[in-house]
Amino acid sequence: MIEVTIAVNGIEQRHQVEDRTLLVEFLRDQCGLTGTNIGCDTTQCGCCTVHVDGRAIKSCTLFAAQVDGAEVVTIEGLGQPENLHPMQAAFRRHHALQCGYCTSGMIMQGVDIVRRGRAVDEATIRHELEGNFCRCTGYQGIVEAIAEVARTAPESCKASGDAA
Amino acid sequence: MDSSHMPRRPRPGPFDRPAAELGHAPEGVGRMNSMGIGAPLARIEDIRLVTGNGRFANNVTVPGQLRGYVLRSPLGHARIRSIDVSGALEVPGLVAVLTGEDYARDGLGDMPCVSIPPTIKGGAYVPTPFPALAVDTVRCVGSEVAFVVAETLSAAVEAAERIVVDYEPLPVAPTLEAAIAPGAPLVWPDAPGNRCFYHELGDAAACDAAFDGAAHVVKGRIRNQRVAGNPLEPRTCIGRYDPADGRFHLTSSTANPHRLRLLLSEHIFRIPAHRIHVVAGDVGGGFGTKGGLYPEEILVLWAAWRVGRPVKWVCERSEAFLADFNGRDQIADAEMALDADGRVLGLRVEVNHNLGSALGPSTAHPPLVGTRMLSGVYAFPAMHVKINGIFTNSRTLTTYRGAGRPEATLIVERMLDLAAEKVGLDPVEIRRRNFIRPEQMPYRTAIGETYDCGEFEAVTDAALALADWDGFEARRRTSEGRGLLRGRGLSCYIEVCATLSDRMEVRFDSSGCVSILAGTFSYGQGHETTYAQMVHDWLGVPLDQIRFVQGDTDIIATGRGSFGSRSMTVGGSALRKACENLIAMGARLASLMLDVEPEALDFVDGSYVWTAGDRRSVPLTEVAKTSFAWRGSAAYNSGPPRQIPADLWSGLEGVGHFSANPQNYPNGCYVAEVEVDPETGQVRVDRIAGVDDVGTVINPLLLEGQVIGGCAQAVGQVLLEAVVHDAEGQVLSGAFTDYGMPRAEDFPHMVLSNRPVPTQTNPLGVKGGAETGTIGLPPAILSAVLDALRPLGVRDLSMPLTPMKVWAAIDAASSAPVSKENS
Ligand code: FES
Ligand code: FES
């Protein structure tokens, strides 16, 4: 067991974990943040995507201990029901989710695509979604939502460390 | 009217929920002010799902819960000589190891099959014992052999690894091809030829006569491969036995909680249904594969009862490739007889459908229901269909989006393409010559299905226009300039929807808000929104005062869940009746309040109004509040107070039932264009357009989402997906790394539209809208690829059209001296 400290959604989370505890397990089991989902065991699906120090990453690919001291933002930290992040609102407006299981990861990835300035056209957005599966929507609403945020509210996707 | 009785809209308070809003309107949907039926309302459930507040089963942790792990068969077919669990018992944290012997000793029942009707030919089929843990024999890789329960998952896994099972391998028939070959190993000794059942539709003699008089006969073998449903949420369940109330409590990612309760009560535990409580929260997709009963749902309840603590089981993705029931998997041999002008005279089809190694609840549904649709949208005068349900050493078959109807559509459309080529007709023209015409409605097909309505040629013309069918040649030349082969294909489909009955309830609370209690079950379809739109329209209650409840067998009296595109028809119509009953009940109370006979009151925009009189009125929400009045008098405006009769003085509610008899028949036409790279065999779907007739549209935004999602699964099946076994029955496609899940890049922007012909078979005029793309699109893509490859002499291909397969076909065709006749 080792002690790991991660700032999750701005709150310091310090927990004893096993060496092999994955970041996604840390978030779900230790922090109780179950908005980040698990969809596979081979790091293919992207359901578990969160932001680590401002970058989208699949939280099942990292041990919690590897990100000791990092800042993590999960879907819960992005926006709340009464105060949706523009990406969350766009997903809703464009019907970019059905069962909602891929959605947390998709939204975190979508924010990252816009942040990196990669939401330039439909083809590029589709390419950038290569690591995120959605079985329900056929991706069309997801692509539209990301494109809309890139057009209308790109600054909302900046990470805290990004230059203004 | 006294404005103090109007529904008040106070300023947003600290506890208020986000307001309802319209979503992005799909093309062709005009702007609207209403939030009711027909509006592209953004989903209500999205608020929790986009903020990480989904209530998925894996988010539930029960105090004291243990973890369960299933030890599965590593062999495709074997006798179990012995199971030695002694090593497992030494693992720290282990609580219990359960085997098939324990299962039998505790007297639990077998997984039932409830999808073979007594009307099956010969009145009999070969049933299969299917305990949740295997006894004596395993018949596919992944069969449940032992259930290990421990304090932690890692302890359970470690203990499972220490169980020694002595297997005696038996010969394996893992695929349909292997199982129907002469001399194939038998999956079940009492099923010769591995045949579970045989059924027939149509008239063999009439069909023979049609073939005798034919100018042309074409033959085809159509393979519809096995696929995995792969909902992104892996199956999860938590079982708890409560000695305080003597009840079994199950939280599951099931798509059908009430069916689960029924099957567990009747077939597994054989105890009264009230002793079983099933809860499903948000469910991460299902597409038919989560709607039955799975062994693990039995195991967690049984284990919890045995060890006295809750037990949770979470499927791993790779495990799901072995444990989840699969879809499709059919070989069809078809012959079509035509006259000299390309009019179909007769269609003969024999299907062999892979049922897997043991029968689950819905296993026989795809072969038996899908084949009912083999007349497509065409007037085929004579038909004869033979259906063989075949056992193999593979995982159990179940319903997967479309469930037999995609198979049927592929057969019909592929045969018409072959016929068009033979007769020398354009693929559109041959279809025109065979469509059932509107004036022939209601039309009874040669295999006994009666279509009530549909304008098949018109919907096809609409799709061709939307797809710019006639502009193809210019696009083909552009592709050619880039070294790519371009092809186009179309497909017309019809399906059958809305089976069984259902029950809906609307119930006011004391503050004038209404709850919808649904017997159906939404797991992505958006019922929280569509039903609210209906109730908003019918009762005039604002959307934010409507609550939606589903998925708890203690709260919802009964229900049948959502599958086969039934909910808008059956659930919606039952909801309508529930609202009508509620309005009628409320009218009696309104009558006391207004001092007007109930028959004289009209219900207009959420209020009871004496339109024939002085237009005095009272809103329904006020009537509802009055029904909760602590003191039982009703008075409104200047009317005298009246004593409220007892039956109107304990709240206001309505219950509605509906069963669609006859069912309804969504239909439409899809067009696909593809580009094929002849150097690599890579296929890219460049354009998809489709027009559906799904009757009245409740919410165009959600409908479009359902259709696109269905199309995505169609593209997946045609180009990428397949469950692949080796000769020993090992699953080679056992992880997301090996199974072709479609990604965003695999799709073009799809262009879809709706051309409704509302049906009279239900009060809303709706037809099922959730499976159209999965059923209608696949033949169009296959046809487009073959169209592209025609110049190279490739005449036939079977799905999935992977680059390797396409490249090999190109290679074979180019090395063949003469292109061989299609067989
Ligand atoms: S759960 Fe992390 S990629 Fe699938
Ligand atoms: S919304 Fe269900 S997987 Fe994406």
Side-chain angles (χ1 to χ4, degrees):
Chain A
M1 297 290 262
I2 41 170
E3 187 177 272
V4 170
T5 307
I6 303 174
V8 183
N9 302 331
I11 295 170
E12 189 181 284
Q13 296 271 2
R14 185 189 307 260
H15 297 283
Q16 296 288 329
V17 298
E18 290 182 48
D19 299 6
R20 63 179 171 192
T21 298
L22 300 170
L23 176 58
V24 67
E25 294 167 337
F26 181 89
L27 295 170
R28 289 178 56 87
D29 302 339
Q30 259 82 29
C31 308
L33 294 168
T34 53
T36 303
N37 291 323
I38 301 171
C40 73
D41 46 8
T42 52
T43 71
Q44 306 282 303
C45 75
C47 287
C48 62
T49 305
V50 299
H51 295 168
V52 177
D53 292 332
R55 280 156 205 281
I57 193 151
K58 294 177 179 178
S59 61
C60 73
T61 61
L62 290 174
F63 294 117
Q66 281 174 283
V67 288
D68 190 20
E71 280 183 31
V72 170
V73 178
T74 69
I75 189 72
E76 290 93 341
L78 203 64
Q80 290 70 44
E82 52 295 334
N83 180 28
L84 296 180
H85 182 278
M87 190 64 79
Q88 293 169 317
F91 264 60
R92 180 175 184 228
R93 211 162 31 243
H94 287 273
H95 190 31
L97 60 147
Q98 289 178 24
C99 79
Y101 200 77
C102 70
T103 306
S104 303
M106 282 288 181
I107 288 175
M108 300 312 278
Q109 179 68 12
V111 168
D112 190 64
I113 293 171
V114 175
R115 183 188 70 82
R116 287 183 287 113
R118 295 293 294 154
V120 286
D121 56 24
E122 185 181 330
T124 313
I125 296 173
R126 285 181 185 271
H127 179 70
E128 289 285 334
L129 287 172
E130 167 175 69
N132 290 71
F133 289 161
C134 176
R135 191 57 153 166
C136 299
T137 65
Y139 303 93
Q140 195 150 308
I142 295 171
V143 173
E144 286 167 1
I146 295 171
E148 184 187 276
V149 174
R151 252 189 343 265
T152 59
E155 69 295 339
S156 70
C157 299
K158 289 237 159 71
S160 52
D162 289 354
Chain B
M1 191 207 302
D2 179 352
S3 66
S4 67
H5 291 290
M6 293 298 286
R8 261 166 301 150
R9 310 291 311 167
R11 275 175 288 127
F15 303 122
D16 278 2
R17 310 269 306 148
E21 66 170 299
L22 293 178
H24 179 83
E27 240 152 272
V29 174
R31 288 188 64 79
M32 38 180 47
N33 301 316
S34 153
M35 298 263 182
I37 293 173
L41 189 69
R43 294 200 317 177
I44 295 163
E45 47 270 75
D46 286 358
I47 299 289
R48 68 171 177 276
L49 294 171
V50 297
T51 52
N53 288 298
R55 300 166 302 192
F56 298 105
N58 196 13
N59 299 351
V60 175
T61 302
V62 184
Q65 85 186 13
L66 301 166
R67 292 297 297 263
Y69 180 80
V70 179
L71 178 70
R72 297 180 185 278
S73 166
L75 298 178
H77 195 187
R79 191 159 296 123
I80 300 175
R81 286 207 200 94
S82 65
I83 303 178
D84 177 1
V85 303
S86 54
L89 299 178
E90 286 161 17
V91 173
L94 179 93
V95 176
V97 179
L98 302 173
T99 66
E101 265 180 39
D102 303 312
Y103 193 85
R105 204 175 305 122
D106 282 350
L108 277 79
D110 283 322
M111 295 272 295
C113 174
V114 292
S115 47
I116 305 182
T119 48
I120 193 87
K121 195 97 181 156
Y125 64 98
V126 179
T128 56
F130 190 173
L133 294 174
V135 191
D136 301 338
T137 308
V138 287
R139 290 186 170 79
C140 71
V141 169
S143 292
E144 294 76 6
V145 173
F147 192 55
V148 184
V149 179
E151 295 289 344
T152 62
L153 179 61
S154 46
V157 173
E158 194 189 331
E161 281 165 1
R162 297 214 199 160
I163 298 173
V164 181
V165 186
D166 185 8
Y167 291 107
E168 176 191 335
L170 298 171
V172 186
T175 61
L176 208 39
E177 284 81 355
I180 59 176
L186 291 187
V187 179
W188 293 94
D190 50 349
N194 287 315
R195 195 157 82 173
C196 170
F197 62 79
Y198 172 73
H199 195 58
E200 267 183 41
L201 302 170
D203 184 335
C207 211
D208 289 348
F211 274 78
D212 287 344
H216 304 280
V217 173
V218 284
K219 298 184 186 194
R221 167 167 278 211
I222 294 122
R223 182 68 164 106
N224 208 302
Q225 83 273 31
R226 177 168 277 237
V227 293
N230 272 330
L232 266 201
E233 178 202 24
R235 286 190 297 114
T236 299
C237 45
I238 305 159
R240 187 167 67 83
Y241 179 77
D242 188 345
D245 60 13
R247 302 174 76 211
F248 291 88
H249 298 269
L250 179 71
T251 299
S252 174
S253 58
T254 182
N256 204 334
H258 285 86
R259 188 178 191 205
L260 206 49
R261 178 179 67 172
L262 187 131
L263 296 175
L264 287 167
S265 142
E266 239 174 60
H267 296 274
I268 307 301
F269 292 102
R270 302 186 187 102
I271 56 175
H274 73 251
R275 289 189 58 202
I276 297 174
H277 176 203
V278 181
V279 178
D282 286 312
V283 171
F287 316 111
T289 64
K290 281 183 183 167
L293 167 66
Y294 276 96
E296 297 85 0
E297 287 161 329
I298 304 169
L299 295 175
V300 291
L301 286 173
W302 173 47
W305 172 79
R306 284 193 58 129
V307 306
R309 284 171 65 185
V311 178
K312 180 175 188 173
W313 174 81
V314 183
C315 196
E316 302 228 321
R317 175 61 56 187
S318 306
E319 184 181 17
F321 280 100
L322 308 178
D324 285 6
F325 297 165
N326 293 151
R328 312 276 190 267
D329 209 351
Q330 180 188 83
I331 296 174
D333 288 295
E335 287 180 280
M336 185 176 264
L338 300 106
D339 70 12
D341 297 328
R343 278 188 193 82
V344 176
L345 301 171
L347 178 66
R348 274 192 201 122
V349 181
E350 173 156 16
V351 304
N352 285 291
H353 210 117
N354 183 353
L355 307 178
S357 56
L359 300 173
S362 304
T363 299
H365 190 87
L368 293 177
V369 174
T371 41
R372 282 167 47 191
M373 303 315 294
L374 274 169
S375 193
V377 292
Y378 309 104
F380 297 155
M383 294 178 68
H384 186 224
V385 180
K386 300 181 188 175
I387 307 150
N388 302 292
I390 302 293
F391 292 122
T392 64
N393 294 115
S394 64
R395 192 59 167 169
T396 294
L397 179 81
T398 196
T399 46
Y400 170 59
R401 203 171 195 171
R405 291 158 289 184
E407 292 91 316
T409 307
L410 187 70
I411 296 167
V412 174
E413 295 297 301
R414 178 80 185 116
M415 291 309 292
L416 279 172
D417 278 359
L418 290 174
E421 212 171 309
K422 177 99 171 207
V423 180
L425 281 178
D426 172 88
V428 179
E429 181 55 30
I430 195 163
R431 286 169 171 81
R432 286 194 199 285
R433 291 188 187 183
N434 288 287
F435 282 135
I436 299 162
R437 323 230 142 256
E439 61 273 17
Q440 290 174 278
M441 294 292 175
Y443 179 86
R444 189 170 194 276
T445 70
I447 45 176
E449 203 71 19
T450 303
Y451 306 158
D452 64 311
C453 65
E455 298 172 4
F456 306 136
E457 184 160 25
V459 84
T460 301
D461 282 328
L464 294 174
L466 190 67
D468 186 28
W469 178 263
D470 294 333
F472 171 75
E473 188 48 34
R475 294 189 291 275
R476 194 191 64 73
R477 278 196 301 270
T478 309
S479 299
E480 196 175 50
R482 292 171 25 230
L484 300 173
L485 299 164
R486 193 178 190 90
R488 67 178 171 180
L490 90 156
S491 162
C492 303
Y493 77 92
I494 186 163
E495 59 147 330
V496 56
C497 286
T499 183
L500 306 177
S501 63
D502 225 312
R503 177 187 186 279
M504 302 287 283
E505 198 174 334
V506 276
R507 195 193 279 173
F508 271 101
D509 63 30
S510 56
S511 47
C513 295
V514 69
S515 293
I516 302 166
L517 291 90
T520 54
F521 185 80
S522 176
Y523 41 100
Q525 295 91 334
H527 297 172
E528 191 163 347
T529 305
T530 43
Y531 287 150
Q533 288 181 271
M534 295 180 193
V535 168
H536 172 64
D537 260 10
W538 297 331
L539 298 185
V541 177
L543 283 166
D544 60 357
Q545 295 175 26
I546 300 171
R547 188 172 83 106
F548 174 73
V549 187
Q550 65 165 18
D552 185 324
T553 61
D554 275 6
I555 299 175
I556 307 292
T558 191
R560 301 205 187 265
S562 294
F563 51 89
S565 305
R566 67 191 297 273
S567 299
M568 291 303 98
T569 302
V570 185
S573 301
L575 183 58
R576 168 118 191 183
K577 295 209 164 149
C579 289
E580 285 168 1
N581 289 340
L582 181 145
I583 291 168
M585 183 178 174
R588 291 173 51 219
L589 189 47
S591 145
L592 289 181
M593 295 168 78
L594 296 175
D595 202 18
V596 177
E597 285 302 304
E599 298 75 36
L601 291 174
D602 293 318
F603 189 72
V604 186
D605 294 337
S607 290
Y608 294 96
V609 188
W610 189 23
T611 28
D614 61 6
R615 301 200 60 83
R616 67 181 77 168
S617 71
V618 57
L620 173 63
T621 47
E622 287 306 314
V623 174
K625 285 187 206 171
T626 304
S627 73
F628 286 92
W630 189 255
R631 282 190 306 265
S633 61
Y636 196 68
N637 290 350
S638 54
R642 302 288 180 87
Q643 177 61 38
I644 307 176
D647 63 329
L648 298 176
W649 187 20
S650 298
L652 188 57
E653 65 210 8
V655 173
H657 300 90
F658 188 77
S659 102
N661 192 11
Q663 293 175 248
N664 62 60
Y665 296 92
N667 59 86
C669 175
Y670 284 86
V671 178
E673 280 186 28
V674 301
E675 282 184 332
V676 184
D677 184 338
E679 301 299 318
T680 62
Q682 183 76 44
V683 176
R684 195 177 66 83
V685 181
D686 188 53
R687 293 163 69 96
I688 291 172
V691 179
D692 294 306
D693 164 13
V694 295
T696 307
V697 177
I698 308 296
N699 180 326
L701 181 66
L702 272 59
L703 174 65
E704 188 185 63
Q706 288 297 312
V707 178
I708 294 176
C711 287
Q713 284 169 334
V715 172
Q717 181 173 10
V718 179
L719 297 188
L720 300 161
E721 299 179 41
V723 173
V724 182
H725 294 87
D726 73 5
E728 304 302 316
Q730 297 298 330
V731 179
L732 302 179
S733 50
F736 273 162
T737 42
D738 305 314
Y739 185 90
M741 280 286 279
R743 296 165 202 261
E745 265 190 304
D746 295 318
F747 306 103
H749 182 91
M750 304 177 200
V751 187
L752 303 159
S753 174
N754 197 26
R755 188 186 176 285
V757 179
T759 174
Q760 306 295 320
T761 56
N762 66 74
L764 310 190
V766 297
K767 305 177 186 179
E771 296 166 291
T772 63
T774 339
I775 294 169
L777 181 59
I781 303 173
L782 176 63
S783 175
V785 174
L786 288 169
D787 184 48
L789 296 177
R790 186 167 295 123
L792 303 184
V794 175
R795 309 295 297 275
D796 197 11
L797 279 171
S798 64
M799 308 184 296
L801 309 178
T802 57
M804 183 60 151
K805 197 183 278 179
V806 172
W807 183 86
I810 293 171
D811 191 53
S814 64
S815 50
V818 196
S819 70
K820 54 181 164 52
E821 190 61 24
N822 195 294
S823 61

